[in-house]
Amino acid sequence: DVKVTQSSRYLVKRTGEKVFLECVQDMDHENMFWYRQDPGLGLRLIYFSYDVKMKEKGDIPEGYSVSREKKERFSLILESASTNQTSMYLCASRPWLAGGPNEQFFGPGTRLTVL
Amino acid sequence: AQTVTQSQPEMSVQEAETVTLSCTYDTSESDYYLFWYKQPPSRQMILVIRQEAYKQQNATENRFSVNFQKAAKSFSLKISDSQLGDAAMYFCAYRGTQGGSEKLVFGKGTKLTVNP
């Protein structure tokens, strides 16, 4: 079974702190994604990565950055956390296969609260 | 840009009954993929069912089936013989096959309650 794990289920940080959210997948997937999920807004893509050291902005990248130094690990960084970044953060991975409806596999999520 | 609309923020169904969740999408592409994902309370999101736009036959997975109407850009999910474990948030998602096709575009979700 594909396994996507996230470093924390719950996290509480203070405004202005630098925050790292870690995601690890064990299936050698090329593509990895970070979403935030807010009630009534669904999932919105923050960043994604095609492969190691490659990244692309999603729909809401402002205030975030990412790092992918190894294929299995994709980190989301909040450079200076703000209260409007309080949210559920979901990581996902997907194999790169030309064509085909290959699904994304999701981690359990990290609920971040910024005080 | 592609958009996905789920017009029902909440739905409820009696156990053993059938319920249909609606999803419409907007795209100019002719080839694409559609998905329904399920997110149970405090649990991981999992894929329920997927549909390839070039296939005319509606996808089916056990008690879950879709009604894919390409011309109407509609992709509804039917859950038959509903069970308590079906209670969850359901998200409809779209993925194209052209530039930027790695991304999924999600609807805002439908919260399904199953009443015993």
Side-chain angles (χ1 to χ4, degrees):
Chain A
D1 282 349
V2 174
K3 196 165 184 180
V4 181
T5 57
Q6 296 182 227
S7 50
S8 305
R9 288 300 302 271
Y10 300 93
L11 207 54
V12 180
K13 295 292 182 180
R14 297 216 173 267
T15 302
E17 281 193 77
K18 190 169 185 176
V19 181
F20 293 86
L21 303 182
E22 304 285 339
C23 175
V24 177
Q25 51 94 3
D26 65 358
M27 283 300 291
D28 204 36
H29 287 173
E30 288 78 13
N31 297 166
M32 295 188 75
F33 307 82
W34 273 107
Y35 297 90
R36 66 176 282 175
Q37 181 180 8
D38 301 287
L41 296 179
L43 278 74
R44 294 178 291 168
L45 182 65
I46 304 172
Y47 267 96
F48 65 101
S49 170
Y50 291 97
D51 209 329
V52 177
K53 296 190 186 295
M54 300 178 73
K55 60 186 179 185
E56 289 283 337
K57 292 181 180 179
D59 300 317
I60 51 166
E62 297 78 18
Y64 303 95
S65 62
V66 290
S67 172
R68 191 154 179 217
E69 296 297 317
K70 293 186 178 181
K71 194 172 187 179
E72 67 271 18
R73 187 180 299 270
F74 191 34
S75 303
L76 180 69
I77 304 157
L78 286 67
E79 296 289 344
S80 178
S82 63
T83 55
N84 63 13
Q85 292 178 310
T86 292
S87 186
M88 171 71 86
Y89 290 88
L90 296 178
C91 175
S93 73
R94 183 172 73 89
W96 187 87
L97 296 171
N102 22 305
E103 67 179 280
Q104 287 189 14
F105 295 87
F106 286 84
T110 295
R111 185 166 295 281
L112 172 68
T113 301
V114 182
L115 302 176
Chain B
Q2 293 85 5
T3 58
V4 176
T5 302
Q6 293 178 249
S7 59
Q8 307 150 317
E10 295 188 27
M11 292 279 286
S12 63
V13 63
Q14 291 297 124
E15 200 174 1
E17 297 293 311
T18 295
V19 64
T20 298
L21 308 185
S22 301
C23 173
T24 59
Y25 56 94
D26 187 26
T27 183
S28 58
E29 296 183 54
S30 59
D31 195 18
Y32 47 86
Y33 308 107
L34 296 163
F35 306 83
W36 278 99
Y37 278 87
K38 170 186 177 181
Q39 187 180 39
S42 302
R43 292 179 61 187
Q44 264 161 280
M45 191 168 313
I46 57 172
L47 179 69
V48 175
I49 199 166
R50 73 190 97 188
Q51 175 81 41
E52 292 146 279
Y54 69 85
K55 289 186 177 179
Q56 292 186 337
Q57 188 170 5
N58 289 325
T60 298
E61 290 285 344
N62 301 314
R63 297 182 297 106
F64 298 87
S65 62
V66 299
N67 183 4
F68 173 49
Q69 302 288 330
K70 190 173 184 179
K73 297 181 182 174
S74 171
F75 182 60
S76 61
L77 175 69
K78 186 171 82 170
I79 306 173
S80 303
D81 185 25
S82 296
Q83 301 175 1
L84 295 177
D86 295 334
M89 283 292 293
Y90 286 83
F91 292 96
C92 179
Y94 167 101
R95 183 162 68 83
T97 57
Q98 297 178 10
S101 63
E102 294 75 15
K103 299 187 289 184
L104 278 177
V105 178
F106 285 89
K108 294 183 179 181
T110 296
K111 182 179 180 180
L112 179 65
T113 301
V114 181
N115 300 309

